[in-house]
mmCIF file of all heavy atoms in Angstrom:
data_model
loop_
_atom_site.group_PDB
_atom_site.id
_atom_site.type_symbol
_atom_site.label_atom_id
_atom_site.label_comp_id
_atom_site.label_asym_id
_atom_site.label_seq_id
_atom_site.Cartn_x
_atom_site.Cartn_y
_atom_site.Cartn_z
ATOM 1 N N ASP C 655 2.918 18.239 23.008
ATOM 2 C CA ASP C 655 2.285 17.753 24.224
ATOM 3 C C ASP C 655 3.410 17.309 25.212
ATOM 4 O O ASP C 655 4.140 16.407 24.943
ATOM 5 C CB ASP C 655 1.428 16.529 23.939
ATOM 6 C CG ASP C 655 0.099 16.904 23.343
ATOM 7 O OD1 ASP C 655 -0.442 17.919 23.724
ATOM 8 O OD2 ASP C 655 -0.380 16.173 22.471
ATOM 9 N N PHE C 656 3.455 17.981 26.344
ATOM 10 C CA PHE C 656 4.270 17.562 27.537
ATOM 11 C C PHE C 656 5.775 17.577 27.244
ATOM 12 O O PHE C 656 6.533 18.199 28.017
ATOM 13 C CB PHE C 656 3.862 16.218 28.060
ATOM 14 C CG PHE C 656 2.461 16.145 28.546
ATOM 15 C CD1 PHE C 656 1.445 15.636 27.802
ATOM 16 C CD2 PHE C 656 2.155 16.617 29.834
ATOM 17 C CE1 PHE C 656 0.144 15.619 28.235
ATOM 18 C CE2 PHE C 656 0.869 16.582 30.312
ATOM 19 C CZ PHE C 656 -0.145 16.070 29.524
ATOM 20 N N TYR C 657 6.255 16.808 26.295
ATOM 21 C CA TYR C 657 7.697 16.606 26.119
ATOM 22 C C TYR C 657 8.048 16.885 24.665
ATOM 23 O O TYR C 657 7.250 16.739 23.728
ATOM 24 C CB TYR C 657 8.080 15.182 26.416
ATOM 25 C CG TYR C 657 7.540 14.647 27.740
ATOM 26 C CD1 TYR C 657 6.387 13.852 27.794
ATOM 27 C CD2 TYR C 657 8.192 14.939 28.938
ATOM 28 C CE1 TYR C 657 5.913 13.392 28.978
ATOM 29 C CE2 TYR C 657 7.699 14.484 30.185
ATOM 30 C CZ TYR C 657 6.544 13.675 30.174
ATOM 31 O OH TYR C 657 6.087 13.227 31.382
ATOM 32 N N ILE C 658 9.334 17.286 24.471
ATOM 33 C CA ILE C 658 9.828 17.483 23.108
ATOM 34 C C ILE C 658 11.066 16.576 22.973
ATOM 35 O O ILE C 658 11.965 16.626 23.780
ATOM 36 C CB ILE C 658 10.218 18.937 22.801
ATOM 37 C CG1 ILE C 658 8.935 19.818 22.910
ATOM 38 C CG2 ILE C 658 10.802 19.075 21.409
ATOM 39 C CD1 ILE C 658 9.271 21.286 22.807
ATOM 40 N N ARG C 659 10.991 15.727 21.941
ATOM 41 C CA ARG C 659 12.149 14.890 21.704
ATOM 42 C C ARG C 659 13.039 15.574 20.647
ATOM 43 O O ARG C 659 12.590 15.966 19.575
ATOM 44 C CB ARG C 659 11.706 13.522 21.094
ATOM 45 C CG ARG C 659 12.831 12.577 20.835
ATOM 46 C CD ARG C 659 12.321 11.206 20.372
ATOM 47 N NE ARG C 659 13.424 10.288 20.040
ATOM 48 C CZ ARG C 659 13.976 10.210 18.871
ATOM 49 N NH1 ARG C 659 13.567 10.965 17.844
ATOM 50 N NH2 ARG C 659 15.006 9.394 18.668
ATOM 51 N N LEU C 660 14.350 15.698 21.013
ATOM 52 C CA LEU C 660 15.288 16.318 20.081
ATOM 53 C C LEU C 660 16.224 15.245 19.599
ATOM 54 O O LEU C 660 16.959 14.637 20.391
ATOM 55 C CB LEU C 660 16.104 17.411 20.827
ATOM 56 C CG LEU C 660 15.265 18.494 21.544
ATOM 57 C CD1 LEU C 660 16.188 19.438 22.320
ATOM 58 C CD2 LEU C 660 14.439 19.302 20.522
ATOM 59 N N ALA C 661 16.193 15.033 18.316
ATOM 60 C CA ALA C 661 17.083 13.955 17.714
ATOM 61 C C ALA C 661 18.494 14.489 17.729
ATOM 62 O O ALA C 661 18.737 15.679 17.762
ATOM 63 C CB ALA C 661 16.594 13.684 16.317
ATOM 64 N N PRO C 662 19.475 13.557 17.633
ATOM 65 C CA PRO C 662 20.892 14.014 17.655
ATOM 66 C C PRO C 662 21.148 14.953 16.500
ATOM 67 O O PRO C 662 20.547 14.882 15.430
ATOM 68 C CB PRO C 662 21.642 12.682 17.435
ATOM 69 C CG PRO C 662 20.723 11.635 17.936
ATOM 70 C CD PRO C 662 19.357 12.112 17.674
ATOM 71 N N ILE C 663 22.071 15.888 16.741
ATOM 72 C CA ILE C 663 22.443 16.857 15.677
ATOM 73 C C ILE C 663 23.972 16.880 15.555
ATOM 74 O O ILE C 663 24.708 16.502 16.491
ATOM 75 C CB ILE C 663 21.910 18.293 15.988
ATOM 76 C CG1 ILE C 663 22.453 18.775 17.312
ATOM 77 C CG2 ILE C 663 20.445 18.343 15.894
ATOM 78 C CD1 ILE C 663 22.275 20.249 17.537
ATOM 79 N N ILE C 664 24.435 17.330 14.444
ATOM 80 C CA ILE C 664 25.876 17.403 14.193
ATOM 81 C C ILE C 664 26.348 18.864 14.387
ATOM 82 O O ILE C 664 27.339 19.124 15.005
ATOM 83 C CB ILE C 664 26.217 16.947 12.773
ATOM 84 C CG1 ILE C 664 25.846 15.462 12.599
ATOM 85 C CG2 ILE C 664 27.718 17.142 12.462
ATOM 86 C CD1 ILE C 664 25.880 14.961 11.221
ATOM 87 N N ASP C 665 25.561 19.779 13.842
ATOM 88 C CA ASP C 665 25.960 21.224 13.897
ATOM 89 C C ASP C 665 25.407 21.920 15.131
ATOM 90 O O ASP C 665 24.349 21.549 15.639
ATOM 91 C CB ASP C 665 25.498 21.901 12.598
ATOM 92 C CG ASP C 665 26.043 21.260 11.409
ATOM 93 O OD1 ASP C 665 27.220 20.891 11.398
ATOM 94 O OD2 ASP C 665 25.297 21.152 10.414
ATOM 95 N N SER C 666 26.047 22.962 15.517
ATOM 96 C CA SER C 666 25.554 23.788 16.607
ATOM 97 C C SER C 666 24.272 24.499 16.216
ATOM 98 O O SER C 666 24.094 24.765 15.042
ATOM 99 C CB SER C 666 26.601 24.811 17.036
ATOM 100 O OG SER C 666 27.812 24.212 17.380
ATOM 101 N N THR C 667 23.459 24.792 17.168
ATOM 102 C CA THR C 667 22.233 25.485 16.858
ATOM 103 C C THR C 667 21.758 26.305 18.015
ATOM 104 O O THR C 667 22.159 26.045 19.198
ATOM 105 C CB THR C 667 21.105 24.459 16.475
ATOM 106 O OG1 THR C 667 19.955 25.168 16.028
ATOM 107 C CG2 THR C 667 20.723 23.580 17.631
ATOM 108 N N ILE C 668 21.010 27.300 17.736
ATOM 109 C CA ILE C 668 20.357 28.168 18.706
ATOM 110 C C ILE C 668 18.876 28.032 18.535
ATOM 111 O O ILE C 668 18.376 28.124 17.402
ATOM 112 C CB ILE C 668 20.807 29.607 18.606
ATOM 113 C CG1 ILE C 668 22.324 29.699 18.974
ATOM 114 C CG2 ILE C 668 20.026 30.541 19.490
ATOM 115 C CD1 ILE C 668 22.920 31.087 18.815
#
Side-chain angles (χ1 to χ4, degrees):
Chain C
D655 283 324
F656 296 100
Y657 310 98
I658 298 174
R659 180 177 179 270
L660 305 175
I663 58 166
I664 298 170
D665 301 321
S666 302
T667 186
I668 291 177

